[in-house]
Amino acid sequence: MSEAGRFEAHEGPEGPGDEERRAGQPYESDGQPYEGDGDRGENGHTGEGAGGGSGQDPDGAGGPGPDRPARIPTPRASVEDGGRPLPDLADPDDLAPVPLDLPHDVLKSLLGAWALAACSAAETAAVEDHLGSCGNCADEARRLREAVGLLHQPDSLDLDPGLRTRVLASCLERRPPRIPVPEWARPYDAETARLDALLQDFGDAEWHAPVRLRWFESDAAKSRRTTVAGVIAHLLSVDGLVAVGLGLEDPLTEVVGAAVRQAVGPAERTEAFWRTSHFPPTRSVRGPWREQSHGLVRTVSFTGGQAGGLAVSYGDFELPLHDAMLDRAFECWVHAEDIAEAVDYPYQPPAPRHLNKMIDLATRMLPTALARRRQTGLASPARGRHLGIAGEPGRSLRLEIEGAAGGEWLIPLDSPAAVASADLEVAHVALDGVEFCRLAAGRVSPEEAAAGQVGDREAIRDVLFATAGLSRL
């Protein structure tokens, strides 16, 4: 644009020239009088082609000459200047949706979207008004709403771990079993069934997923790397100790051969199985383990529970059969959690009444574990006259287990033969039930155990480390 075509917007206060301009009269610009020589259009612009948007008039329409300043078009009138009242947005009637007048076929086609809450406000109002007068559409809408409720996917597809027990209990109330499972064998029955259900859909990748077994030995953390199939082979090997105690066939005889006679403890039997197998364990190990677990439950059931006191040898110690079955249930749950962690699958703790029995077994084994630690110099020596006095009250620690499987146990500190006494309580430890079991399984170190502690610090440390020492391969 040339210098003559440039202009600046007038932003100052109105003066006499502004009134004359609005009235179509000559006015002065920069001190010079100016005569308008064109017809003013409807929009207040001068000339025929006014409002072309360029700020200049077309040629031959009275455009500005070289000695005339550019003419500025007046602004468009706003709706506020029209004199008409503006709508009141605060009036709810102005915001209400316009009712739709839709035919029956269209309203019927909207029922699915209405059931899914996908209609607009106007469509929803039209459909709901129609449902009040059309019985067929009302029935269809009700069925669609019920179907929508079935589309909701539950948060978890995993069954409640106590569901199996509740179903069996309900069935057995109606028809008692001809050969019932003894009460002390039911935790093993439940935990092997849960692990078997976890394994049933595993593919080759899951069976060969790496698993690290962990335990404590001489107050030091130990670990052993294997696979999911190797864990099941480990359970098969150690459960075989119970099978041998019941007079059943040892599952390791076919795999290990004569070397099984030298493998007397859980760790030795497992290492012998892993070492002498022609191939690494695969999914084929599930069948023998499953058959053996069924055989153990079936055998103890046929004895009518009378064999509960039968001794089962673990090499360097023995357990009565009812405690050995509880021990195997505990190991089955712990290793099932190892497997579930390896394949990134959630796994729940045992039913509270079964977990309580496992905790009780661990607390009953703690006095012997404390004595063994004291013999090896790992625990502080017993104090005073309470050492070795069988049947006499001795210093005790109160173990409080929180949660649904919880309770309180008094643990004698100075001798397995001593009697726990509340009068001689020197310390109090509080732990969650699952946390205590994971400490006893070697999955949590004594330093990491979230325990509430009051009293003799040495006694508390000895009990926590003795609990971790109950773990083994």
Side-chain angles (χ1 to χ4, degrees):
M1 181 182 289
S2 65
E3 291 294 328
R6 295 182 181 177
F7 65 90
E8 294 181 359
H10 180 75
E11 297 180 354
E14 291 186 353
D18 296 316
E19 296 178 358
E20 293 175 354
R21 181 175 71 250
R22 287 198 296 270
Q25 301 299 325
Y27 66 94
E28 290 185 358
S29 175
D30 297 330
Q32 298 294 329
Y34 172 71
E35 296 286 342
D37 57 350
D39 296 330
R40 189 173 299 277
E42 294 178 357
N43 295 332
H45 294 231
T46 303
E48 299 178 67
S54 64
Q56 297 179 358
D57 289 339
D59 294 340
D67 57 346
R68 294 180 181 179
R71 287 176 292 179
I72 304 173
T74 58
R76 293 181 179 179
S78 172
V79 67
E80 289 88 347
D81 300 332
R84 291 175 294 178
L86 296 176
D88 185 8
L89 296 181
D91 188 355
D93 294 336
D94 294 330
L95 301 177
V98 179
L100 299 178
D101 185 12
L102 301 176
H104 176 272
D105 292 342
V106 175
L107 292 169
K108 185 175 182 180
S109 68
L110 289 174
L111 291 178
W114 173 84
L116 292 169
C119 288
S120 66
E123 290 172 339
T124 300
V127 169
E128 292 178 351
D129 183 66
H130 175 68
L131 295 180
S133 58
C134 181
N136 292 335
C137 287
D139 291 339
E140 180 68 15
R142 177 181 54 79
R143 287 193 292 269
L144 290 172
R145 272 288 169 90
E146 292 174 354
V148 169
L150 297 176
L151 295 177
H152 173 69
Q153 186 175 0
D155 296 334
S156 174
L157 297 178
D158 296 321
L159 296 178
D160 181 357
L163 178 60
R164 177 179 183 269
T165 303
R166 292 198 301 270
V167 171
L168 289 176
S170 178
C171 294
L172 296 177
E173 285 178 0
R174 293 176 174 83
R175 183 177 179 182
R178 188 163 53 93
I179 304 176
V181 177
E183 183 66 30
W184 45 265
R186 290 179 185 175
Y188 178 80
D189 184 30
E191 293 309 309
T192 53
R194 288 209 302 147
L195 176 54
D196 189 46
L198 174 65
L199 300 174
Q200 65 181 351
D201 294 326
F202 277 15
D204 291 338
E206 287 83 7
W207 279 103
H208 295 289
V211 179
R212 184 169 293 279
L213 303 180
R214 293 164 290 169
W215 70 98
F216 270 76
E217 186 177 315
S218 300
D219 290 355
K222 304 290 184 179
S223 66
R224 183 73 156 79
R225 187 180 177 87
T226 183
T227 63
V228 170
V231 174
I232 301 303
H234 167 59
L235 291 175
L236 172 70
S237 302
V238 184
D239 285 357
L241 293 171
V242 182
V244 172
L246 287 172
L248 302 177
E249 182 180 355
D250 191 341
L252 264 64
T253 302
E254 183 177 350
V255 178
V256 181
V260 72
R261 297 188 181 92
Q262 285 74 39
V264 293
E268 293 83 358
R269 288 173 62 88
T270 299
E271 293 289 352
F273 188 99
W274 288 342
R275 184 175 57 253
T276 59
S277 297
H278 298 292
F279 301 100
T282 62
R283 65 167 67 238
S284 61
V285 76
R286 180 193 174 203
W289 168 78
R290 189 170 186 265
E291 183 179 351
Q292 177 178 256
S293 64
H294 289 176
L296 292 177
V297 175
R298 187 184 310 113
T299 302
V300 298
S301 299
F302 274 110
T303 63
Q306 302 301 319
L310 185 67
V312 175
S313 174
Y314 281 75
D316 55 347
F317 67 95
E318 290 185 349
L319 286 176
L321 178 60
H322 56 81
D323 284 346
M325 293 290 285
L326 197 56
D327 170 76
R328 301 315 307 144
F330 176 79
E331 291 287 330
C332 184
W333 162 49
V334 169
H335 290 313
E337 280 200 336
D338 293 337
I339 293 172
E341 181 181 355
V343 299
D344 195 21
Y345 196 86
Y347 202 80
Q348 298 297 322
R353 64 179 177 280
H354 293 167
L355 190 62
N356 180 270
K357 294 179 182 295
M358 298 174 189
I359 295 171
D360 180 72
L361 172 63
T363 58
R364 288 188 281 113
M365 296 175 69
L366 275 177
T368 302
L370 282 169
R372 189 180 297 115
R373 285 176 54 80
R374 194 174 295 113
Q375 292 170 0
T376 57
L378 295 175
S380 57
R383 296 181 180 180
R385 65 179 185 85
H386 301 295
L387 178 61
I389 303 179
E392 290 289 331
R395 291 186 316 135
S396 303
L397 178 142
R398 182 179 299 276
L399 177 63
E400 179 183 352
I401 300 299
E402 301 171 342
E408 290 190 356
W409 288 263
L410 282 173
I411 300 170
L413 298 174
D414 296 332
S415 170
V419 177
S421 171
D423 295 333
L424 297 176
E425 179 182 323
V426 297
H428 185 176
V429 174
L431 271 168
D432 175 73
V434 175
E435 183 84 356
F436 174 80
C437 288
R438 287 177 177 156
L439 174 63
R443 301 310 186 263
V444 178
S445 68
E447 296 88 352
E448 297 172 343
Q453 308 174 7
V454 176
D456 190 330
R457 295 297 176 182
E458 279 191 358
I460 293 171
R461 182 184 183 279
D462 288 344
V463 169
L464 292 178
F465 273 87
T467 304
L470 296 176
S471 61
R472 60 179 182 273
L473 174 62

